[in-house]
């Protein structure tokens, strides 16, 4: 009887863990599920009322894409503000290497709404930033699913619930996905490097991680030797120095005897 109870308990825990994992994957899209997958070449209408396809952009240079809605009282504004701030901190040679495409997933939004939204961040005249809407609103759900983005209308707040996401796209394929309302420069540098097809030797770790071998400076993108490397090679260096010292002492003794 006891074994049966334990088995039922174990199965219950397994089901709970699987449900929790599914819930986490739904709330925070797993990058591994979407990376290198093709996305639809949807047509968009920009805030300046010009119509174009995403391929018109990604054939010219890579894209950082994010979905928002203009009436958002939550994560949308902090996300765009954070993204703008981090991009401004990049080197001048990197700022123009990609487009930032901000599309509304709200069918109610118009090009004018997105124009007002872009003006709030003083980005309406920045050629690298493109704000717009889907030309065919029936494709919003399909496109959102392709990149792992979700949104749910909440009656009690009169708002959409949705994650903050930035998707790196190169030649119509998803390269990286960043989730969260606060974009870190170290993460964005990684995405930009991959958008350019550059090899990323390692990914960022916690800033205060003790004894790491390499220190990455997110402001400059440079790698410096850390205390971990010093500790790693110290025994070998000491062994070499002691060996040289012993060898010299023996040579001196031999010379003294011969003298």
């Amino acid at each position: 009887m006891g074994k049966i109870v334990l088995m039922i308990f174990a199965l219950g825990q397994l089901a709970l863990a699987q449900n929790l994992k599914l819930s986490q994957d739904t709330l925070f899209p797993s990058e591994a599920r979407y990376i290198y997958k093709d996305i639809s070449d949807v047509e968009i209408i920009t805030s300046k009322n010009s119509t174009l396809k995403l391929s018109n952009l990604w054939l010219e240079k890579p894209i950082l894409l994010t979905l928002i809605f203009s009436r958002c009282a939550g994560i949308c504004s902090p996300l765009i503000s954070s993204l703008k701030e981090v991009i401004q901190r990049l080197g001048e040679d990197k700022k123009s290497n990609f487009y930032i495409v901000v599309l509304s997933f709200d069918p109610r939004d118009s090009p004018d709404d997105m124009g007002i939204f872009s003006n709030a961040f003083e980005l309406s005249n920045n050629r690298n930033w493109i704000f717009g809407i889907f030309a065919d609103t029936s494709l919003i759900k399909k496109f959102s699913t392709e990149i792992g983005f979700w949104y749910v209308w909440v009656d009690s707040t009169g708002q959409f619930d949705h994650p903050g996401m930035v998707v790196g796209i190169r030649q119509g394929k998803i390269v990286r996905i960043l989730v969260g309302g606060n974009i870190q420069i170290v993460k964005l540098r990684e995405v930009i490097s991959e958008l350019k097809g550059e090899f990323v030797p390692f990914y960022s770790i916690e800033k205060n991680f003790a004894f790491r071998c390499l220190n990455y400076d997110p402001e400059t993108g440079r790698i410096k030797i850390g205390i971990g490397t010093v500790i790693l090679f110290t025994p070998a260096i000491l062994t070499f120095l002691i060996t040289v010292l012993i060898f010299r002492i023996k040579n001196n003794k031999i010379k003294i005897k011969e003298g």
Side-chain angles (χ1 to χ4, degrees), residues 205-249:
I205 56 178
E206 293 298 325
K207 185 175 182 180
N208 295 320
F209 189 87
F211 306 122
R212 56 186 177 186
C213 295
L214 298 174
N215 292 319
Y216 180 75
D217 185 350
E219 296 293 336
T220 63
R222 295 179 179 176
I223 300 172
K224 298 179 181 179
I225 293 176
I227 190 171
T229 300
V230 176
I231 294 174
L232 180 66
F233 285 100
T234 295
I237 294 172
L238 288 176
T239 301
F240 174 76
L241 292 175
I242 292 172
T243 302
V244 171
L245 181 61
I246 293 173
F247 182 76
R248 287 188 174 181
I249 291 173

Side-chain angles (χ1 to χ4, degrees), residues 246-256:
I246 293 173
F247 182 76
R248 287 188 174 181
I249 291 173
K250 285 185 176 181
N251 278 347
N252 288 336
K253 287 182 178 180
I254 292 172
K255 288 180 180 180
I256 291 172

Side-chain angles (χ1 to χ4, degrees), residues 3-233:
K3 290 183 178 179
I4 295 175
V5 172
L6 287 174
M7 185 177 294
I8 294 174
F9 178 76
L11 290 173
Q13 291 296 310
L14 179 60
L16 180 62
Q18 289 177 336
N19 288 334
L20 179 60
K21 184 178 185 302
L22 288 173
S23 176
Q24 288 176 335
D25 286 346
T26 302
L27 293 175
F28 306 102
S30 173
E31 188 178 55
R33 293 178 58 188
Y34 302 96
I35 196 166
Y36 300 129
K37 289 188 176 181
D38 293 312
I39 63 169
S40 297
D41 184 16
V42 296
E43 192 172 61
I44 66 174
I45 303 174
T46 72
S47 58
K48 299 185 183 299
N49 283 298
S50 61
T51 302
L52 52 85
K53 287 191 171 184
L54 286 182
S55 61
N56 297 137
L57 301 175
W58 75 50
L59 289 176
E60 186 176 341
K61 52 187 178 181
I63 295 173
L64 289 179
L65 181 140
T66 185
L67 297 182
I68 58 96
F69 69 106
S70 68
R71 298 168 180 81
C72 181
I75 198 172
C76 296
S77 291
L79 173 64
I80 300 302
S81 179
S82 174
L83 187 57
K84 176 188 174 183
E85 179 185 352
V86 170
I87 290 175
Q88 286 177 336
R89 290 163 60 189
L90 295 174
E92 290 297 329
D93 59 325
K94 294 184 178 180
K95 289 182 182 179
S96 59
N97 287 340
F98 52 89
Y99 285 115
I100 305 95
V101 179
V102 183
L103 296 179
S104 172
F105 61 85
D106 186 349
R108 300 173 300 172
D109 276 333
S110 67
D112 288 340
D113 291 327
M114 295 303 287
I116 294 171
F117 189 85
S118 66
N119 285 334
F121 297 94
E122 300 180 346
L123 291 169
S124 57
N125 294 320
N126 190 317
R127 292 184 177 182
N128 292 319
W129 286 76
I130 298 171
F131 290 77
I133 63 172
F134 288 81
D136 184 352
T137 55
S138 67
L139 297 176
I140 294 177
K141 189 66 177 178
K142 177 178 181 294
F143 185 84
S144 300
T145 302
E146 289 176 351
I147 64 174
F149 184 83
W150 59 267
Y151 55 95
V152 178
W153 178 257
V154 182
D155 288 328
S156 60
T157 62
Q159 293 276 304
F160 285 102
D161 184 20
H162 65 93
M165 282 178 53
V166 176
V167 183
I169 301 168
R170 183 178 70 233
Q171 296 296 317
K173 293 182 182 295
I174 297 173
V175 175
R176 288 290 302 275
I177 296 177
L178 299 180
V179 181
N182 184 30
I183 305 300
Q184 299 177 1
I185 190 169
V186 61
K187 292 292 186 182
L188 189 63
R189 283 187 183 277
E190 292 171 2
V191 174
I192 292 171
S193 293
E194 293 199 32
L195 286 177
K196 293 168 61 180
E198 296 177 353
F199 173 66
V200 179
F202 68 94
Y203 291 95
S204 59
I205 56 178
E206 293 298 325
K207 185 175 182 180
N208 295 320
F209 189 87
F211 306 122
R212 56 186 177 186
C213 295
L214 298 174
N215 292 319
Y216 180 75
D217 185 350
E219 296 293 336
T220 63
R222 295 179 179 176
I223 300 172
K224 298 179 181 179
I225 293 176
I227 190 171
T229 300
V230 176
I231 294 174
L232 180 66
F233 285 100

